Amino acid sequence: MTAMNLVLPSRAAGPPLVSRLAASAAVVEGGVMSNAEVLAWLDERQREQQQHVERVPFAALRGWRFDQRTGDLRHDSGRFFSVLGLSVHSDFGPVRTWSQPIIHQPEIGILGIALRDFDGIPHLLMQAKSEPGNVNGVQLSPTVQATKSNYTGVHGGSAVPYMDLFRRPGPGQVVADVLQSEQGSWFLHKRNRNMVVEVGPEVVAGDDFAWLTLGQVNLLLRHDNLVNMDARTVLSCLPDWRGGRENLVEDAGWSLHTGREVRTWITRRRAEHEVSVAPIPLAQAQGWLRTQHAVTHCNGLYFDVVAVDVSSRGREVPAWSQPLLEPRGMGVAALFVKRIDGVVHALLRARAEPGFLDVVELGPTVQCVPENYEHLPEADRPPYLAQALARRESARYDVVLSEEGGRFRNAQSHYMIIETESDFPAMSDEFRWLTPHQLDELLCYSHHLNVQARTLVAALRSL
Amino acid sequence: MTAMNLVLPSRAAGPPLVSRLAASAAVVEGGVMSNAEVLAWLDERQREQQQHVERVPFAALRGWRFDQRTGDLRHDSGRFFSVLGLSVHSDFGPVRTWSQPIIHQPEIGILGIALRDFDGIPHLLMQAKSEPGNVNGVQLSPTVQATKSNYTGVHGGSAVPYMDLFRRPGPGQVVADVLQSEQGSWFLHKRNRNMVVEVGPEVVAGDDFAWLTLGQVNLLLRHDNLVNMDARTVLSCLPDWRGGRENLVEDAGWSLHTGREVRTWITRRRAEHEVSVAPIPLAQAQGWLRTQHAVTHCNGLYFDVVAVDVSSRGREVPAWSQPLLEPRGMGVAALFVKRIDGVVHALLRARAEPGFLDVVELGPTVQCVPENYEHLPEADRPPYLAQALARRESARYDVVLSEEGGRFRNAQSHYMIIETESDFPAMSDEFRWLTPHQLDELLCYSHHLNVQARTLVAALRSL
């Protein structure tokens, strides 16, 4: 193990683990497991957790039904989530008024990663977890990924492993704990706690779990559909460990815009546009049709709501059925970056998505499913999309990643980081160049970076 | 003028005005106006803006009506605000389920103060403004205090003076611009932009306006019902100017809890309690009765919704009628402070109020209308209330202040700052001791300190 070569103070005497994240990121081969062992473990988990997932008609859902009056799709227990209609009115953009199905899940869940010292190197406890919506079964997930219904046992399954580490952390153990939003086009006001907690040697890895260094996780982040969305968002909420690394030394104090200017910009974007959203009965969502097999848009765009039946050995509940949201088409999430006087800046867009709690969050430079815009005139297509596709060849990062497989079926996007020339312009007040240090600051507070931007922050740090 | 004695660099050459706030706070007598002149000006404005406000039956409201189906009280234009019902369910506290009327005002307004240099001393452009709900007519208000309906001219009144300073500030002129909540028990998801903007010598004070130093404003903050709520919340969003003052020098780096611990605490308080609120027809708010003259609680508690007729010379619209919310009883808002190793700390409470956008914000140590709790057993009365009342004699600050007179009638509270012994304990996880520096940091981000806590931050800085 590379880690063995380092002589560092013991856990009791040393600085908190978080101060050693840079050392963890530097270990890209062999923490407590070699990379070959990690891949073998993932393969084995893939076999062990084999899930059989089958599309079924809504009538075959067990415990879920469409409300007779509203047409909303709900679980009989009233928990988990429901699919409602949402009516949206805004005062900007090419399409200002629409209605759509949306997932309502008011419970706040926990996405948590445990951090443990091994010979001076912090390791992350990652989980191999299959989800019914994943294109490929098992992906690398946080230590814990649980809705309140999960961890309070509403579905009658077994206890969530490691849950107590996050529900009852000791003093000084919490490295990060921040509420973050999820897809604002698909979820209404959804957010989860993103937690990182230091743990001691008494915490050991069960069969579905492995201790990886940050360097190993970053390496896996270069593989298609391997690190799941929940893991990516928690990783982004880790304090940025790169301050001390030689190849990325930057003056944390300098940036194109001051912190105050950035906050002022976000306030203005939130205040100046009116976006009003109101839940409506799903049956009243105009332009959406319900068949026996799907709730679908009349033009075949955006997404479908479908039903699946799942049988599995590895889950808390061995067999169940549930609705999933299945997007039409492959997404693009591209972050443009450039150096200004040597300091890295990323081009963020202030995005109004109907499900955001506070109107606007910062997203990547480009975030869309290109097919949804093909029927619109060129001028109404997303800014920078054409440039992102044209520059794809030279992307510094270009990986296909999945959104959460517990809610979304086959939801994949090309996540890209594209470096541009230093005079590449921000085209309007919707866009700003921010430094990684500024993003890190915003990530300490809820509701500033959307989930796609958070994935790209995790990816940017891995470069 | 005291200011004349100071030799400071000219505006063009000097640092931004905000860096000279401490100098402005030090001028407590005589900026461009002497204190006697300020009081005379306020008296004169009081006479000039004399308003005649009369309680009327709802049937006498012009332009407002109860919706026949829902019982909601709305303006015919659909703008301004409306009074709906709200159904609240929570999993904690002595009363876990209730319904109530609530004001719905989805528009984001602007509360703004202009800052201008006079001989090196920043001055604040304050407005003498009467509001129909004020107990005493005119109070000291921000430069601009305008809903979107106001400044986009929905009500057909004249243009809002100085509005453009805040809608189109030049580069580098914005000192603060942050969305902040208002009373979470009376407003549903209400928030306003709190702005401070630097302006040049071309901006002059109209009849209803005066340039005051921060020291003069702080002095007026010691008078009952003089500085209005909107001015107080904007003042709290000014960067804390006291870092360099000898009598309050404190190590910004030291505090009982780290910033991360404080943010973690807020996240946990937000996540662990479930508060679900849903708008309902006002007619369905259980326990509330509508008479010809008021919407009122069957036990005579909490508040009434009433109607007033207003005639005035000084307002944009010379005569109008409107609903107001009139609380029953005088409020108490008390902040306990103490020194820990010489550093001031204030005891904040994580409060869940039904109208907050994000479940929980930090409020004062005590915030309540004592009468509302008299029917409850001792154990269910607000923590620290008895101590606040017992220690009132020795309060460092004890002033009666009004809530916003454009929405609330005779809404007054005793605002108090009470210094305690250094071993005075925080009694539960609902409470934390934070430094003024930490409060300042949280005030840079939306939805962390409630409006009563913001008033007390402004008061604390004035001591």
Side-chain angles (χ1 to χ4, degrees):
Chain A
M1 296 199 314
T2 314
M4 299 295 278
N5 303 326
L6 294 165
V7 181
L8 284 169
S10 75
R11 181 163 190 274
L17 281 185
V18 63
S19 70
R20 281 174 272 154
L21 286 174
S24 182
V27 180
V28 294
E29 167 58 76
V32 298
M33 284 166 86
S34 72
N35 292 351
E37 286 168 338
V38 172
L39 294 173
W41 165 74
L42 279 167
D43 273 349
E44 185 210 45
R45 290 298 103 197
Q46 183 73 270
R47 285 191 304 274
E48 190 64 31
Q49 292 191 27
Q50 210 145 71
Q51 257 181 353
H52 180 70
V53 182
E54 198 179 351
R55 277 277 311 263
V56 293
F58 289 122
L61 282 173
R62 295 185 302 278
W64 293 85
R65 68 191 74 227
F66 289 101
D67 184 277
Q68 288 206 324
R69 197 171 51 83
T70 60
D72 295 345
L73 182 55
R74 297 183 183 281
H75 191 259
D76 293 341
S77 68
R79 302 303 287 262
F80 300 108
F81 62 92
S82 51
V83 182
L84 320 173
L86 192 75
S87 154
V88 185
H89 296 266
S90 79
D91 61 354
F92 62 97
V95 180
R96 296 178 175 214
T97 296
W98 73 90
S99 53
Q100 65 167 86
I102 200 152
I103 302 175
H104 183 50
Q105 183 174 348
E107 297 179 348
I108 296 177
I110 292 181
L111 310 178
I113 293 181
L115 210 58
R116 180 184 149 188
D117 176 272
F118 286 87
D119 296 316
I121 303 295
H123 282 59
L124 291 73
L125 185 57
M126 303 303 291
Q127 182 181 181
K129 188 174 170 68
S130 60
E131 292 284 6
N134 286 352
V135 288
N136 57 344
V138 161
Q139 297 193 6
L140 200 67
S141 308
T143 315
V144 154
Q145 170 182 323
T147 63
K148 214 169 205 170
S149 294
N150 285 140
Y151 68 71
T152 55
V154 170
H155 62 7
S158 43
V160 178
Y162 305 106
M163 196 67 220
D164 275 354
L165 301 176
F166 300 92
R167 293 196 78 186
R168 276 172 278 279
Q173 290 190 307
V174 179
V175 171
D177 186 0
V178 58
L179 289 177
Q180 298 290 9
S181 69
E182 296 186 3
Q183 288 78 1
S185 300
W186 299 337
F187 276 123
L188 179 62
H189 299 174
K190 169 81 180 296
R191 55 261 181 71
N192 274 322
R193 285 170 81 173
N194 284 240
M195 298 185 72
V196 180
V197 169
E198 289 192 19
V199 301
E202 70 284 0
V203 178
V204 296
D207 283 347
D208 286 330
F209 297 83
W211 293 105
L212 306 186
T213 66
L214 202 44
Q216 290 179 304
V217 174
N218 284 339
L219 213 60
L220 295 173
L221 203 48
R222 311 299 297 259
H223 290 255
D224 284 355
N225 291 320
L226 214 168
V227 179
N228 87 347
M229 183 195 93
D230 298 326
R232 301 190 308 261
T233 172
V234 179
L235 289 172
S236 78
C237 295
L238 271 176
D240 192 350
W241 65 86
R242 298 167 310 151
R245 278 176 64 193
E246 276 174 73
N247 56 339
L248 271 158
V249 174
E250 51 192 1
D251 180 6
W254 189 83
S255 50
L256 184 60
H257 307 286
T258 65
R260 181 190 296 159
E261 285 166 351
V262 170
R263 294 191 303 267
T264 293
W265 169 60
I266 296 170
T267 299
R268 191 174 65 244
R269 300 302 310 180
R270 285 181 169 161
E272 293 210 334
H273 284 305
E274 280 185 41
V275 181
S276 83
V277 301
I280 56 171
L282 180 57
Q284 287 174 24
Q286 289 215 330
W288 293 82
L289 311 168
R290 188 175 114 203
T291 69
Q292 290 186 326
H293 294 271
V295 176
T296 187
H297 188 258
C298 55
N299 295 340
L301 295 174
Y302 313 120
F303 58 81
D304 295 345
V305 178
V306 302
V308 295
D309 197 83
V310 190
S311 48
S312 158
R313 276 195 287 174
R315 285 289 291 231
E316 315 94 277
V317 179
W320 74 96
S321 59
Q322 68 166 91
L324 289 171
L325 187 153
E326 180 162 8
R328 296 277 183 121
M330 172 78 97
V332 169
L335 188 66
F336 286 22
V337 299
K338 68 175 183 180
R339 284 179 188 271
I340 309 176
D341 290 345
V343 178
V344 172
H345 283 68
L347 188 58
L348 279 292
R349 179 177 189 180
R351 290 180 59 85
E353 298 181 12
F356 287 155
L357 193 66
D358 202 4
V359 189
V360 162
E361 297 189 11
L362 305 189
T365 319
V366 178
Q367 174 193 320
C368 67
V369 175
E371 284 93 323
N372 289 337
Y373 295 87
E374 279 172 1
H375 67 292
L376 293 174
E378 188 84 22
D380 287 341
R381 295 190 193 160
Y384 298 114
L385 172 60
Q387 279 126 304
L389 298 177
R391 288 166 184 254
R392 198 172 155 196
E393 285 298 301
S394 61
R396 304 249 340 245
Y397 183 89
D398 183 4
V399 180
V400 174
L401 297 169
S402 300
E403 307 309 314
E404 224 274 280
R407 295 291 172 272
F408 307 117
R409 180 175 159 91
N410 301 341
Q412 300 177 83
S413 293
H414 290 283
Y415 278 89
M416 296 184 245
I417 296 175
I418 293 169
E419 190 159 356
T420 69
E421 348 20 291
S422 65
D423 61 350
F424 191 88
M427 65 180 291
S428 75
D429 191 55
E430 273 180 83
F431 294 87
R432 281 287 183 287
W433 292 102
L434 308 191
T435 64
H437 179 76
Q438 291 179 315
L439 298 178
D440 201 36
E441 176 79 14
L442 294 175
L443 280 164
C444 292
Y445 294 88
S446 303
H447 312 317
H448 284 86
L449 261 65
N450 78 355
V451 66
Q452 292 87 351
R454 296 200 303 278
T455 280
L456 286 160
V457 165
L460 184 62
R461 289 185 192 157
S462 78
L463 295 182
Chain B
M1 294 199 314
T2 314
M4 299 296 275
N5 301 327
L6 295 164
V7 181
L8 284 168
S10 77
R11 181 163 190 278
L17 280 186
V18 64
S19 70
R20 280 175 274 152
L21 286 173
S24 182
V27 180
V28 294
E29 167 58 77
V32 299
M33 285 166 85
S34 72
N35 292 351
E37 285 168 338
V38 172
L39 293 173
W41 164 75
L42 279 166
D43 273 350
E44 184 210 46
R45 290 297 104 196
Q46 185 72 270
R47 287 190 303 275
E48 190 63 30
Q49 292 191 26
Q50 209 144 76
Q51 255 181 355
H52 180 70
V53 181
E54 199 179 349
R55 277 278 309 264
V56 294
F58 289 121
L61 282 173
R62 296 185 300 279
W64 294 83
R65 68 190 74 228
F66 289 101
D67 184 277
Q68 287 205 324
R69 198 170 51 83
T70 60
D72 295 345
L73 182 55
R74 297 182 182 281
H75 191 259
D76 293 342
S77 67
R79 302 303 289 261
F80 301 107
F81 62 92
S82 50
V83 182
L84 321 172
L86 192 75
S87 154
V88 185
H89 296 267
S90 78
D91 61 354
F92 62 98
V95 180
R96 297 177 174 213
T97 296
W98 72 90
S99 54
Q100 64 165 88
I102 199 151
I103 302 175
H104 183 51
Q105 184 175 346
E107 297 178 349
I108 296 176
I110 292 180
L111 310 178
I113 293 180
L115 210 58
R116 180 184 150 189
D117 176 272
F118 287 87
D119 296 315
I121 303 295
H123 281 59
L124 291 72
L125 186 57
M126 303 303 291
Q127 181 180 181
K129 187 172 171 68
S130 61
E131 292 285 4
N134 287 351
V135 288
N136 57 345
V138 161
Q139 296 193 6
L140 200 67
S141 308
T143 315
V144 153
Q145 170 182 325
T147 64
K148 213 167 205 171
S149 293
N150 284 140
Y151 67 72
T152 55
V154 170
H155 63 6
S158 43
V160 178
Y162 304 107
M163 195 67 219
D164 275 353
L165 301 176
F166 300 92
R167 292 197 78 187
R168 277 171 277 279
Q173 289 191 307
V174 179
V175 171
D177 186 0
V178 57
L179 290 177
Q180 298 289 9
S181 68
E182 296 187 3
Q183 287 78 4
S185 299
W186 299 338
F187 276 123
L188 179 62
H189 299 173
K190 169 82 181 296
R191 54 262 179 73
N192 273 322
R193 285 170 81 172
N194 284 240
M195 298 185 72
V196 180
V197 168
E198 288 192 20
V199 301
E202 70 284 0
V203 177
V204 296
D207 283 346
D208 286 329
F209 297 82
W211 294 105
L212 306 187
T213 66
L214 202 44
Q216 290 179 305
V217 173
N218 284 339
L219 213 60
L220 296 173
L221 202 50
R222 314 298 298 259
H223 290 254
D224 284 356
N225 291 318
L226 214 166
V227 178
N228 86 348
M229 183 195 94
D230 297 328
R232 301 190 308 263
T233 173
V234 179
L235 289 172
S236 78
C237 296
L238 271 175
D240 191 350
W241 64 87
R242 297 165 312 150
R245 279 175 66 194
E246 279 175 72
N247 57 339
L248 271 158
V249 173
E250 51 191 0
D251 179 7
W254 190 83
S255 50
L256 183 59
H257 306 286
T258 65
R260 180 190 299 160
E261 286 166 350
V262 170
R263 295 192 303 267
T264 292
W265 169 59
I266 296 171
T267 298
R268 191 175 64 243
R269 300 302 308 179
R270 284 181 170 162
E272 294 211 336
H273 284 304
E274 280 185 40
V275 181
S276 84
V277 301
I280 55 171
L282 180 56
Q284 287 174 22
Q286 289 216 330
W288 294 82
L289 311 167
R290 189 175 114 203
T291 69
Q292 290 187 326
H293 294 271
V295 176
T296 188
H297 188 258
C298 55
N299 295 340
L301 295 174
Y302 312 121
F303 58 81
D304 295 344
V305 179
V306 302
V308 295
D309 197 84
V310 190
S311 48
S312 158
R313 277 195 286 173
R315 287 288 292 231
E316 314 93 279
V317 178
W320 75 96
S321 58
Q322 68 168 91
L324 289 171
L325 187 155
E326 180 163 7
R328 296 279 182 118
M330 170 78 93
V332 168
L335 188 66
F336 286 20
V337 300
K338 68 175 183 179
R339 285 181 188 271
I340 309 176
D341 291 346
V343 178
V344 172
H345 284 67
L347 189 58
L348 279 291
R349 179 177 188 179
R351 290 180 59 86
E353 298 181 13
F356 286 154
L357 193 66
D358 201 4
V359 189
V360 162
E361 299 189 11
L362 306 189
T365 319
V366 178
Q367 174 193 319
C368 66
V369 176
E371 284 92 323
N372 289 338
Y373 294 88
E374 280 173 1
H375 67 293
L376 293 175
E378 188 83 24
D380 287 341
R381 294 187 194 161
Y384 297 114
L385 172 60
Q387 279 126 305
L389 298 177
R391 289 165 184 256
R392 197 171 157 198
E393 285 299 301
S394 61
R396 304 245 347 239
Y397 183 89
D398 183 5
V399 180
V400 174
L401 297 169
S402 299
E403 308 309 313
E404 225 273 279
R407 295 291 172 272
F408 307 117
R409 179 174 160 90
N410 302 341
Q412 301 176 83
S413 293
H414 291 284
Y415 279 89
M416 295 184 247
I417 296 175
I418 293 170
E419 190 160 355
T420 68
E421 339 34 281
S422 65
D423 60 352
F424 191 88
M427 65 180 292
S428 75
D429 191 56
E430 273 180 83
F431 294 88
R432 280 287 183 285
W433 291 102
L434 308 190
T435 64
H437 179 76
Q438 292 180 314
L439 298 178
D440 202 37
E441 176 79 14
L442 293 175
L443 281 164
C444 292
Y445 294 88
S446 303
H447 312 317
H448 284 86
L449 262 64
N450 79 355
V451 66
Q452 292 88 352
R454 297 200 302 277
T455 281
L456 286 161
V457 164
L460 184 61
R461 289 184 193 156
S462 79
L463 295 182

